[in-house]
Amino acid sequence: MSSPPGAASRRTFLRGAGLVAFAIAGGAGLSGCTSAVRELDAVGDDATPVRGGTLKVGTPWDIVPTNILTNTATTPALIGLVYESLIRYPNDRLEPQPLLAKSWSLAPDGLSLALDLRDDVTFHSGRPFTSADVEFALRTYADPKWSAQLKSTAAAITGYDTSAPHRIVLRFASPLGNIFDLLDTAPMLDRETIGQLATGDAFVGTGPFRFVDRIPNSQLTFERNDHYWVPDRPYLDRVQFSVVPDSQAQLNALRSGQIGLAHGLNPRDIENLAKRPGFKSITYDGAELQMYVGVNVQNPALADVRLRQAVAYALDRDRIIDEVYRGAGYALNVPWPKNSPAYDEARNTKYSRNLDKARELVAQVGKPPEIPLSYNTSVPAYGATAQIVQSNLAEVGIDVTLDPNDDATFVKKLIGGQFPGLWVTDHSWAQFVPSTLTVSAYPFNARKNASHYESPAYVAAADTAWKRTGGTDAAAVSAYRAVSDQLLDGLFLIEIGVRLNQVAASKRVHGVGWTKRRETLLTEAFVS
């Protein structure tokens, strides 16, 4: 095995990610790069790998240590480089592939899963990776204090057999149709330095790069793990992330060669940059995000489902996808992307735009008082989406006032269910086994969600879809349709559509990969 599964994706057409920019520490973004733009344009993706050098990357967000297991925007810069999981899904399908676990066997009744671990893996400290580390990592992931989104699945593990150092058996009280989602997601943490992880003083994993230092809100530095278990990887000596919440600054840094890979550009800039010599866009296929309007159903104006239906009918989903995300996506009424076993074309037309129907519903309920519409200012596309939603709702007699929030405040409100009225953002997890969304993600969790929506029927549908031995068979698909119907009836979340996650890069940067959670993988990356 020469590289981890999924690490070597070479796709180079990138689609939507409205992100932000970062503070640029001095030095070249492409180590040793002094060639003219016309020479950059001549470099193809079939370039021969080059060992060594530093890749400088732009990111809108710094690490928030307490959010390390939340899979929010603050973690992809760290997780994909420093940490690894037991298995990894390919980007295009839900078929687990070996990573730190080399093989496994799921019992026919779905009540136990035995995993055989690699015996040649060490943490960056030099300590061997064993089954005891797997138990520690999964128990930590289940601990509510870390706010991990799949903690309910981790908590459903009722027993661990770690009697063999490189084999672990997990036991469950009932089948878990999304158990491999957990094993793909949960990073294997070092139990000896967990206290330092929480404070941001040390991040110790088994991955291809080791954490070196961090200047808060400015810079993150990683160096090659010389003892990585994949032979001759990674190619790069060093990766440096620069942090600055300004998309124009990030664009200028990429154009000038201060950075080689940009995670913080808005979709229009990505679209335009990809047309210029020397640059390219990269689509994180299989790591889709879904834009939505969230609803606090405890707000008296939003408690009546008819007003929520009016919002759903009023949204101009196609305009948002076309204008904000430059056509890099498609409209939805239910959350599942086209590659999901739960995707359902018919159910995606229930709330097609119908202003007459929306106005009729508002008239039935009565014109509501002005409603706050919150959004995250760290991503320019969120603000642009919020403005279109505001305009759409005004057309049918629903007045909203825009409520901008910085990233930390917005995430806190999302996790804590603290939005006063409506909000606009995107969600993930729909690209995984569908049951994961409804038992895990903050907006969708059937038992506790950011909308304060409660429904025994929704809980029952979510549990039925979750407690299965399989996650993609015909019976599972039927269960997902029942979940979709609950979402369409309750409308505590109102889907806008899929947006395809993008980054932009110099054509001298090759071998950029990603996980289904949008974590950037640089195991195979090199600079030509």
Side-chain angles (χ1 to χ4, degrees):
M1 182 175 184
S2 61
S3 62
S9 179
R10 300 294 177 90
R11 305 182 192 199
T12 59
F13 176 71
L14 181 145
R15 309 185 186 180
L19 301 180
V20 187
F22 36 96
I24 308 301
L30 303 176
S31 179
C33 177
T34 59
S35 300
V37 169
R38 62 179 177 272
E39 292 175 326
L40 284 171
D41 200 41
V43 178
D45 283 331
D46 57 352
T48 301
V50 176
R51 186 168 300 283
T54 297
L55 174 61
K56 292 191 176 181
V57 182
T59 178
W61 302 288
D62 191 13
I63 290 172
V64 179
T66 55
N67 288 352
I68 196 67
L69 299 183
T70 64
N71 295 101
T72 55
T74 61
T75 61
L78 176 70
I79 296 291
L81 273 64
V82 171
Y83 296 101
E84 294 177 301
S85 53
L86 292 174
I87 62 100
R88 180 170 291 157
Y89 284 133
N91 297 133
D92 60 350
R93 60 193 187 280
L94 295 171
E95 297 177 7
Q97 303 297 308
L99 199 61
L100 296 183
K102 61 184 182 181
S103 62
W104 49 84
S105 176
L106 180 66
D109 61 5
L111 298 182
S112 66
L113 176 66
L115 299 111
D116 291 307
L117 309 177
R118 298 189 65 94
D119 60 5
D120 56 353
V121 177
T122 60
F123 285 96
H124 297 156
S125 62
R127 186 175 64 80
F129 169 72
T130 70
S131 57
D133 296 300
V134 176
E135 178 177 0
F136 173 81
L138 294 178
R139 288 189 182 278
T140 300
Y141 196 90
D143 188 335
K145 79 174 185 178
W146 291 97
S147 298
Q149 295 201 62
L150 272 75
K151 64 179 181 292
S152 58
T153 302
I157 301 173
T158 56
Y160 297 84
D161 181 350
T162 59
S163 55
H166 296 108
R167 180 179 172 83
I168 186 168
V169 179
L170 309 177
R171 304 192 187 283
F172 323 116
S174 62
L176 300 174
N178 71 333
I179 184 60
F180 288 104
D181 286 13
L182 173 67
L183 303 187
D184 174 271
T185 300
M188 294 296 102
L189 306 171
D190 175 38
R191 63 183 184 272
E192 294 184 351
T193 57
I194 191 68
Q196 293 173 284
L197 182 152
T199 61
D201 294 319
F203 303 100
V204 178
T206 64
F209 294 90
R210 61 183 185 85
F211 172 77
V212 177
D213 59 39
R214 170 183 176 232
I215 303 173
N217 299 312
S218 177
Q219 183 175 296
L220 298 160
T221 303
F222 306 89
E223 290 184 350
R224 183 181 193 272
N225 174 11
D226 290 330
H227 303 288
Y228 189 47
W229 57 271
V230 179
D232 302 320
R233 298 295 188 277
Y235 293 117
L236 294 167
D237 288 336
R238 177 178 289 236
V239 178
Q240 183 176 299
F241 282 80
S242 295
V243 184
V244 155
D246 181 79
S247 60
Q248 188 61 46
Q250 185 173 358
L251 176 63
N252 292 339
L254 182 59
R255 285 173 171 170
S256 66
Q258 290 179 288
I259 60 172
L261 180 64
H263 288 277
L265 305 188
N266 66 57
R268 186 180 295 273
D269 286 336
I270 291 172
E271 179 184 48
N272 292 334
L273 192 67
K275 298 174 183 177
R276 295 183 53 172
F279 299 98
K280 61 184 177 181
S281 57
I282 305 170
T283 302
Y284 281 16
D285 291 325
E288 298 90 348
L289 293 166
Q290 286 77 28
M291 290 296 300
Y292 72 96
V293 176
V295 183
N296 179 357
V297 299
Q298 291 184 340
N299 182 311
L302 297 166
D304 193 317
V305 72
R306 289 175 295 175
L307 194 71
R308 306 200 295 270
Q309 290 172 340
V311 173
Y313 281 121
L315 292 179
D316 192 342
R317 295 172 176 84
D318 290 331
R319 178 186 171 192
I320 292 170
I321 296 298
D322 290 343
E323 292 187 11
V324 179
Y325 296 103
R326 312 306 301 160
Y330 45 91
L332 291 174
N333 280 192
V334 286
W336 325 110
K338 291 181 178 179
N339 58 8
S340 169
Y343 180 77
D344 190 321
E345 185 66 39
R347 285 171 172 80
N348 275 315
T349 62
K350 181 169 183 176
Y351 292 107
S352 297
R353 193 168 200 239
N354 187 330
L355 296 183
D356 290 339
K357 182 66 174 177
R359 293 182 183 117
E360 177 187 336
L361 288 163
V362 172
Q364 291 176 15
V365 177
K367 183 176 177 62
E370 196 169 64
I371 301 170
L373 175 61
S374 306
Y375 66 93
N376 188 332
T377 58
S378 72
V379 175
Y382 293 159
T385 299
Q387 290 174 13
I388 294 176
V389 171
Q390 181 186 42
S391 175
N392 292 162
L393 298 188
E395 291 182 81
V396 300
I398 302 173
D399 297 327
V400 303
T401 180
L402 298 182
D403 173 36
N405 293 253
D406 63 59
D407 184 64
T409 301
F410 191 91
V411 171
K412 181 180 179 181
K413 288 182 178 180
L414 178 65
I415 294 174
Q418 299 170 5
F419 293 113
L422 301 171
W423 69 93
V424 169
T425 189
D426 49 37
H427 68 81
S428 187
W429 301 111
Q431 72 274 33
F432 284 83
V433 171
S435 61
T436 285
L437 192 70
T438 54
V439 299
S440 303
Y442 305 128
F444 286 87
N445 193 306
R447 287 180 168 79
K448 182 180 179 182
N449 51 69
S451 296
H452 303 285
Y453 177 75
E454 297 179 359
S455 165
Y458 179 44
V459 171
D463 281 354
T464 298
W466 181 37
K467 296 178 180 180
R468 303 186 43 78
T469 55
T472 59
D473 55 77
V477 169
S478 177
Y480 302 147
R481 288 175 180 157
V483 170
S484 293
D485 288 339
Q486 288 297 318
L487 292 172
L488 290 170
D489 290 345
L491 276 188
F492 61 99
L493 300 172
I494 302 168
E495 293 288 333
I496 295 173
V498 161
R499 72 173 180 89
L500 303 175
N501 199 48
Q502 303 175 309
V503 298
S506 162
K507 283 192 173 180
R508 285 199 180 277
V509 177
H510 309 271
V512 175
W514 56 89
T515 69
K516 290 184 76 66
R517 293 173 308 285
R518 309 176 314 284
E519 296 156 357
T520 296
L521 301 175
L522 298 177
T523 311
E524 301 286 330
F526 63 95
V527 177
S528 61

